[in-house]
mmCIF file of all heavy atoms in Angstrom:
data_model
loop_
_atom_site.group_PDB
_atom_site.id
_atom_site.type_symbol
_atom_site.label_atom_id
_atom_site.label_comp_id
_atom_site.label_asym_id
_atom_site.label_seq_id
_atom_site.Cartn_x
_atom_site.Cartn_y
_atom_site.Cartn_z
ATOM 1 N N ASN A 30 102.141 113.901 95.344
ATOM 2 C CA ASN A 30 103.241 114.877 95.419
ATOM 3 C C ASN A 30 104.567 114.115 95.232
ATOM 4 O O ASN A 30 105.454 114.616 94.527
ATOM 5 C CB ASN A 30 103.196 115.506 96.804
ATOM 6 C CG ASN A 30 103.989 116.743 96.914
ATOM 7 O OD1 ASN A 30 104.820 117.043 96.014
ATOM 8 N ND2 ASN A 30 103.800 117.509 97.963
ATOM 9 N N ASN A 31 104.668 112.967 95.813
ATOM 10 C CA ASN A 31 105.847 112.127 95.647
ATOM 11 C C ASN A 31 105.515 110.683 95.988
ATOM 12 O O ASN A 31 104.437 110.393 96.519
ATOM 13 C CB ASN A 31 106.995 112.631 96.515
ATOM 14 C CG ASN A 31 106.672 112.564 97.993
ATOM 15 O OD1 ASN A 31 106.495 111.492 98.544
ATOM 16 N ND2 ASN A 31 106.598 113.737 98.650
ATOM 17 N N TYR A 35 110.044 101.599 100.322
ATOM 18 C CA TYR A 35 110.641 101.146 101.573
ATOM 19 C C TYR A 35 110.880 99.640 101.498
ATOM 20 O O TYR A 35 110.173 98.929 100.809
ATOM 21 C CB TYR A 35 109.708 101.459 102.734
ATOM 22 C CG TYR A 35 109.594 102.925 103.132
ATOM 23 C CD1 TYR A 35 108.783 103.787 102.420
ATOM 24 C CD2 TYR A 35 110.294 103.389 104.250
ATOM 25 C CE1 TYR A 35 108.701 105.103 102.796
ATOM 26 C CE2 TYR A 35 110.184 104.725 104.637
ATOM 27 C CZ TYR A 35 109.384 105.569 103.897
ATOM 28 O OH TYR A 35 109.286 106.894 104.292
ATOM 29 N N GLN A 37 111.323 96.167 104.089
ATOM 30 C CA GLN A 37 111.133 95.678 105.444
ATOM 31 C C GLN A 37 111.646 94.249 105.509
ATOM 32 O O GLN A 37 111.142 93.351 104.848
ATOM 33 C CB GLN A 37 109.643 95.661 105.836
ATOM 34 C CG GLN A 37 109.404 95.185 107.275
ATOM 35 C CD GLN A 37 107.941 95.180 107.643
ATOM 36 O OE1 GLN A 37 107.077 94.896 106.819
ATOM 37 N NE2 GLN A 37 107.618 95.501 108.901
ATOM 38 N N GLY A 40 109.831 90.844 110.098
ATOM 39 C CA GLY A 40 109.570 91.191 111.508
ATOM 40 C C GLY A 40 110.248 92.442 112.033
ATOM 41 O O GLY A 40 110.343 92.631 113.240
ATOM 42 N N ARG A 41 110.727 93.296 111.126
ATOM 43 C CA ARG A 41 111.415 94.496 111.560
ATOM 44 C C ARG A 41 110.699 95.746 111.047
ATOM 45 O O ARG A 41 109.703 95.673 110.352
ATOM 46 C CB ARG A 41 112.881 94.514 111.023
ATOM 47 C CG ARG A 41 113.654 93.244 111.279
ATOM 48 C CD ARG A 41 113.976 93.068 112.722
ATOM 49 N NE ARG A 41 114.827 94.123 113.255
ATOM 50 C CZ ARG A 41 115.346 94.115 114.479
ATOM 51 N NH1 ARG A 41 115.111 93.110 115.292
ATOM 52 N NH2 ARG A 41 116.114 95.108 114.896
ATOM 53 N N GLN A 98 102.874 115.910 105.685
ATOM 54 C CA GLN A 98 103.645 114.758 105.204
ATOM 55 C C GLN A 98 102.975 113.418 105.504
ATOM 56 O O GLN A 98 103.630 112.439 105.800
ATOM 57 C CB GLN A 98 105.061 114.751 105.834
ATOM 58 C CG GLN A 98 105.951 115.870 105.311
ATOM 59 C CD GLN A 98 105.815 117.131 106.098
ATOM 60 O OE1 GLN A 98 105.595 117.123 107.272
ATOM 61 N NE2 GLN A 98 105.902 118.265 105.378
ATOM 62 N N ARG B 9 109.508 94.867 122.205
ATOM 63 C CA ARG B 9 109.449 94.155 120.942
ATOM 64 C C ARG B 9 108.230 93.241 120.921
ATOM 65 O O ARG B 9 107.603 93.068 119.887
ATOM 66 C CB ARG B 9 110.712 93.316 120.706
ATOM 67 C CG ARG B 9 111.936 94.066 120.382
ATOM 68 C CD ARG B 9 111.824 94.888 119.081
ATOM 69 N NE ARG B 9 111.220 94.229 117.955
ATOM 70 C CZ ARG B 9 111.878 93.401 117.151
ATOM 71 N NH1 ARG B 9 113.136 93.119 117.330
ATOM 72 N NH2 ARG B 9 111.239 92.867 116.120
ATOM 73 N N ASN B 31 107.477 115.462 113.141
ATOM 74 C CA ASN B 31 106.363 114.546 112.903
ATOM 75 C C ASN B 31 106.580 113.175 113.460
ATOM 76 O O ASN B 31 107.699 112.621 113.335
ATOM 77 C CB ASN B 31 106.154 114.410 111.373
ATOM 78 C CG ASN B 31 105.961 115.757 110.701
ATOM 79 O OD1 ASN B 31 105.190 116.587 111.123
ATOM 80 N ND2 ASN B 31 106.678 115.947 109.617
ATOM 81 N N GLN B 37 100.318 97.051 111.380
ATOM 82 C CA GLN B 37 100.592 96.273 110.199
ATOM 83 C C GLN B 37 99.979 94.870 110.346
ATOM 84 O O GLN B 37 100.308 94.180 111.307
ATOM 85 C CB GLN B 37 102.106 96.129 109.963
ATOM 86 C CG GLN B 37 102.442 95.388 108.659
ATOM 87 C CD GLN B 37 103.920 95.340 108.408
ATOM 88 O OE1 GLN B 37 104.734 95.477 109.316
ATOM 89 N NE2 GLN B 37 104.290 95.153 107.148
ATOM 90 N N GLY B 97 108.467 120.467 107.658
ATOM 91 C CA GLY B 97 108.693 121.235 106.448
ATOM 92 C C GLY B 97 108.177 120.580 105.235
ATOM 93 O O GLY B 97 107.883 119.377 105.236
ATOM 94 N N TYR B 100 110.294 117.271 103.298
ATOM 95 C CA TYR B 100 110.827 116.093 104.004
ATOM 96 C C TYR B 100 109.691 115.101 104.179
ATOM 97 O O TYR B 100 108.776 115.315 104.949
ATOM 98 C CB TYR B 100 111.422 116.495 105.348
ATOM 99 C CG TYR B 100 112.558 117.438 105.221
ATOM 100 C CD1 TYR B 100 112.421 118.793 105.364
ATOM 101 C CD2 TYR B 100 113.829 116.945 104.896
ATOM 102 C CE1 TYR B 100 113.500 119.664 105.220
ATOM 103 C CE2 TYR B 100 114.898 117.814 104.745
ATOM 104 C CZ TYR B 100 114.734 119.168 104.896
ATOM 105 O OH TYR B 100 115.778 119.989 104.744
ATOM 106 N N TYR B 101 109.783 113.973 103.501
ATOM 107 C CA TYR B 101 108.783 112.942 103.626
ATOM 108 C C TYR B 101 109.344 111.623 104.095
ATOM 109 O O TYR B 101 108.577 110.741 104.490
ATOM 110 C CB TYR B 101 108.087 112.724 102.253
ATOM 111 C CG TYR B 101 107.183 113.852 101.872
ATOM 112 C CD1 TYR B 101 107.727 114.985 101.248
ATOM 113 C CD2 TYR B 101 105.832 113.812 102.130
ATOM 114 C CE1 TYR B 101 106.910 116.050 100.904
ATOM 115 C CE2 TYR B 101 105.001 114.864 101.774
ATOM 116 C CZ TYR B 101 105.538 115.988 101.162
ATOM 117 O OH TYR B 101 104.753 117.016 100.835
ATOM 118 N N GLN B 103 110.400 108.721 106.186
ATOM 119 C CA GLN B 103 110.073 108.317 107.550
ATOM 120 C C GLN B 103 111.090 107.323 108.068
ATOM 121 O O GLN B 103 111.565 106.464 107.335
ATOM 122 C CB GLN B 103 108.666 107.709 107.592
ATOM 123 C CG GLN B 103 107.611 108.739 107.246
ATOM 124 C CD GLN B 103 106.196 108.280 107.579
ATOM 125 O OE1 GLN B 103 105.982 107.216 108.131
ATOM 126 N NE2 GLN B 103 105.241 109.126 107.259
#
Side-chain angles (χ1 to χ4, degrees):
Chain A
N30 196 345
N31 62 65
Y35 287 79
Q37 183 181 35
R41 310 291 298 186
Q98 290 87 35
Chain B
R9 288 299 316 278
N31 305 312
Q37 183 177 23
Y100 298 98
Y101 289 83
Q103 295 193 3

